[in-house]
Amino acid sequence: MRIVVLAGGIGGARFLRGLKKAAPDADITVIGNTGDDIHLFGLKVCPDLDTVMYTLGGGINEEQGWGRSDETFHLKQELAEYGVEPQWFGLGDRDFATHIVRSQMLGAGYPLSAVTEALCDRWQPGVRLIPMSDDRIETHVAVDIDGERRAIHFQEYWVRLRASVPAHAVVPVGAEQSKPAPGVLEALSEADVILFPPSNPVVSIGTILAVPGIREAIADAGVPVVGLSPIVGDAPVRGMADKVLAAVGVESSAAAVAEHYGSGLLDGWLVDEVDAAAVERVEAAGIRCRAVPLMMTDLDAAARMAREALTFAEEVRTV
Ligand code: GDP
Ligand code: CA
């Protein structure tokens, strides 16, 4: 079975770990979000690709959900001693090595997809991880600072400001002119099932869908597309997805996120049991819906969610 998953960082990575356990023989291709990418200290940092790679490769900081395990921060401290900004982005010493290798390879002319493949040679994530695009795309967020509307990098909004001010717009800068990375459209056209893990609908999956051709390829794939809600009980399970949903005019509820994707894209949508009342509303939008436990408290819980998604995909399959 060929499964394609559109993934952001933590939510996507933890779901993927469950999926690998639920379907050990499946051929899994992950289309990773690169809208969170940022250039820091002359290095290209790809937080979501790395979260997937480290989580599936066994190098993740489990408690945090991102960054390396067994990490130290000497380099960050030394940079701070020089007064070098930004100091709000946490890059550890082990993590820096990944960004140095990546930046060196990009500088030598390799596209990001080839670099990601090379990095995965070490981590052996057990899935094929492809960035959504080899082109530079950076999500910017429009906010008001000192009474003035300004666009800031997504990481500045998320990490420095902790999404504490209203987002007026979320723009994947560069997406319009971008192309899907090699292998992305092929994987979608050859998929048996396409899954949207409980990743952020705006700045993770939304950004991937903003790459011209990807949304169309999913809609035209003719295979079940099943998503799992990152919103449980009208709030994100982790993080501040409600803030960016508000920016695109979507309420923070499992049903509203399904409607936002729409029946043109989704065939099935899983909501948590606490949101069982949303099932009717989602089905009224033309999307099959079911309520199941959606909290990834441990690997087994994530595997059960993945199994539910695959079973549901078989049910919604229209031949
Ligand atoms: P990020 O790039 O690290 O923010 O990660 P993703 O975009 O892949 O996932 C973020 C989303 O995952 C957030 O909106 C969370 O609500 C959601 N999430 C995290 N843990 C869980 C969980 O256990 N269950 C569900 N349903 N959603 C989760
Ligand atoms: Ca992310």
Side-chain angles (χ1 to χ4, degrees), residues 209-275:
L209 294 172
V211 176
I214 293 187
R215 175 186 289 274
E216 297 74 8
I218 295 169
D220 297 344
V223 297
V225 181
V226 170
L228 300 92
S229 180
I231 304 294
V232 172
D234 297 337
V237 176
R238 242 188 109 107
M240 299 128 334
D242 49 327
K243 300 292 167 50
V244 285
L245 280 167
V248 297
V250 177
E251 71 180 32
S252 176
S253 76
V257 172
E259 289 166 355
H260 173 63
Y261 287 131
S263 60
L265 214 49
L266 282 181
D267 299 302
W269 185 242
L270 295 176
V271 301
D272 188 83
E273 284 175 316
V274 303
D275 296 311

Side-chain angles (χ1 to χ4, degrees), residues 29-44:
T29 298
V30 179
I31 301 174
N33 172 42
T34 57
D36 292 16
D37 293 6
I38 185 165
H39 289 79
L40 294 171
F41 318 115
L43 301 174
K44 168 96 162 168

Side-chain angles (χ1 to χ4, degrees), residues 12-298:
R14 291 195 171 156
F15 175 77
L16 282 162
R17 203 155 53 171
L19 180 64
K20 274 175 62 185
K21 181 164 185 183
D25 300 327
D27 170 345
I28 302 170
T29 298
V30 179
I31 301 174
N33 172 42
T34 57
D36 292 16
D37 293 6
I38 185 165
H39 289 79
L40 294 171
F41 318 115
L43 301 174
K44 168 96 162 168
V45 179
C46 302
D48 284 0
L49 294 179
D50 290 348
T51 295
V52 170
M53 185 172 78
Y54 294 157
T55 301
L56 299 184
I60 199 77
N61 176 326
E62 287 291 341
E63 298 74 50
Q64 210 169 242
W66 54 271
R68 287 295 320 278
S69 52
D70 200 15
E71 187 59 288
T72 53
F73 291 87
H74 301 296
L75 190 40
K76 184 176 195 290
Q77 279 155 19
E78 289 296 318
L79 288 166
E81 293 295 335
Y82 285 108
V84 177
E85 294 290 342
Q87 294 179 19
W88 45 262
F89 201 84
L91 290 180
D93 300 325
R94 291 183 190 279
D95 199 19
F96 258 111
T98 303
H99 312 314
I100 290 170
V101 174
R102 172 184 292 124
S103 305
Q104 205 169 24
M105 287 190 70
L106 288 169
Y110 291 96
L112 183 63
S113 50
V115 175
T116 304
E117 198 179 330
L119 293 171
C120 285
D121 266 348
R122 170 184 174 194
W123 289 103
Q124 296 291 316
V127 300
R128 178 155 179 240
L129 176 61
I130 318 179
M132 63 194 198
S133 178
D134 279 334
D135 301 321
R136 180 169 172 172
I137 299 164
E138 281 184 14
T139 302
H140 288 196
V141 180
V143 295
D144 291 336
I145 295 175
D146 300 330
E148 241 181 276
R149 178 92 19 124
R150 283 187 31 204
I152 58 175
H153 191 284
F154 168 73
Q155 297 296 357
E156 190 174 357
Y157 180 70
W158 207 248
V159 179
R160 187 172 79 81
L161 298 177
R162 304 298 305 160
S164 57
V165 296
H168 297 288
V170 178
V171 182
V173 178
E176 270 174 41
Q177 303 83 357
S178 72
K179 287 195 303 289
V184 167
L185 297 182
E186 293 79 353
L188 288 169
S189 72
E190 290 165 6
D192 297 309
V193 179
I194 298 169
L195 300 178
F196 292 8
S199 281
N200 190 305
V202 181
V203 294
S204 292
I205 295 182
T207 317
I208 300 171
L209 294 172
V211 176
I214 293 187
R215 175 186 289 274
E216 297 74 8
I218 295 169
D220 297 344
V223 297
V225 181
V226 170
L228 300 92
S229 180
I231 304 294
V232 172
D234 297 337
V237 176
R238 242 188 109 107
M240 299 128 334
D242 49 327
K243 300 292 167 50
V244 285
L245 280 167
V248 297
V250 177
E251 71 180 32
S252 176
S253 76
V257 172
E259 289 166 355
H260 173 63
Y261 287 131
S263 60
L265 214 49
L266 282 181
D267 299 302
W269 185 242
L270 295 176
V271 301
D272 188 83
E273 284 175 316
V274 303
D275 296 311
V279 170
E280 212 176 312
R281 174 171 158 193
V282 174
E283 297 220 318
I287 300 163
R288 295 279 308 282
C289 185
R290 174 170 299 167
V292 299
L294 285 192
M295 299 298 280
M296 297 188 280
T297 44
D298 56 23

